[in-house]
Amino acid sequence: MAESRPMYELMYVINPVLSDDQTKNMVERVQNYLRENDADVVHTEEMGSQRLAYPIQKKRNGYYVVTNFRGDGTFIAKLERALQINDDILRHLVLRYDAKMQRYFEQQRAKAAEQPVEADA
C-alpha cells in the first residue's frame, strides 16, 4: 500500500573545500533536519564530487547529494530557507514527485535491489 504523504527529492551541492568529515557531517545534519520535521528519509545517494556546469562562488566542483523523503510538505519553505542561509551548501533543489515520477523511482529502486552487489576486488 502506497503511503499517503507526498514524496520529495532534495538535491544539494556541498562546498568542495570542506573535509571529508565536514562533508559527512553536513549530509547527516540535513538528514537529521528532515527527520526532526517528521519526514521519512527513503533513500540518500551521495554522488560525490562533480564538475559544475558553471562556477558558483568561484568553485568549479561540488559534492552532490540526492535525498528522497516523504513528508507533509508544511516544512519545505523552512527547509529551503535553512539551505539558503547555509554557506556550505552552494545550491539546492526540492522537487515534489507526481505519480509518474514516483512509479519511475520505485521501478529504479526495484531494479537496483535485483542487481547483485559488486564485490570489491
Side-chain angles (χ1 to χ4, degrees):
M1 182 173 140
E3 188 168 331
S4 62
R5 297 192 306 170
M7 185 158 192
Y8 294 89
E9 178 179 297
L10 166 64
M11 190 282 303
Y12 53 101
V13 181
I14 300 174
N15 192 336
V17 299
L18 297 180
S19 68
D20 289 345
D21 289 340
Q22 290 171 320
T23 301
K24 297 289 180 200
N25 186 27
M26 180 61 61
V27 172
E28 195 64 35
R29 283 178 50 196
V30 171
Q31 292 200 8
N32 287 339
Y33 187 85
L34 292 171
R35 290 186 185 108
E36 289 169 3
N37 286 284
D38 199 30
D40 296 325
V41 176
V42 176
H43 179 71
T44 298
E45 180 178 358
E46 295 184 31
M47 300 171 74
S49 182
Q50 296 186 15
R51 186 170 177 88
L52 301 170
Y54 54 88
I56 300 173
Q57 298 174 8
K58 298 183 182 180
K59 308 286 187 301
R60 293 232 171 243
N61 294 320
Y63 190 88
Y64 283 71
V65 181
V66 177
T67 298
N68 300 93
F69 62 96
R70 291 186 183 279
D72 58 8
T74 57
F75 74 100
I76 298 300
K78 199 168 92 173
L79 169 67
E80 290 190 316
R81 178 69 182 142
L83 294 171
Q84 283 175 344
I85 62 175
N86 190 326
D87 291 335
D88 293 330
I89 295 181
L90 301 177
R91 289 287 189 271
H92 73 277
L93 179 67
V94 179
L95 295 175
R96 181 179 171 160
Y97 278 8
D98 61 10
K100 186 174 182 180
M101 293 169 73
Q102 193 164 335
R103 279 194 306 271
Y104 180 77
F105 173 76
E106 290 168 1
Q107 287 173 351
Q108 293 302 312
R109 295 265 304 168
K111 280 184 184 176
E114 290 175 2
Q115 292 179 351
V117 177
E118 293 180 24
D120 292 333

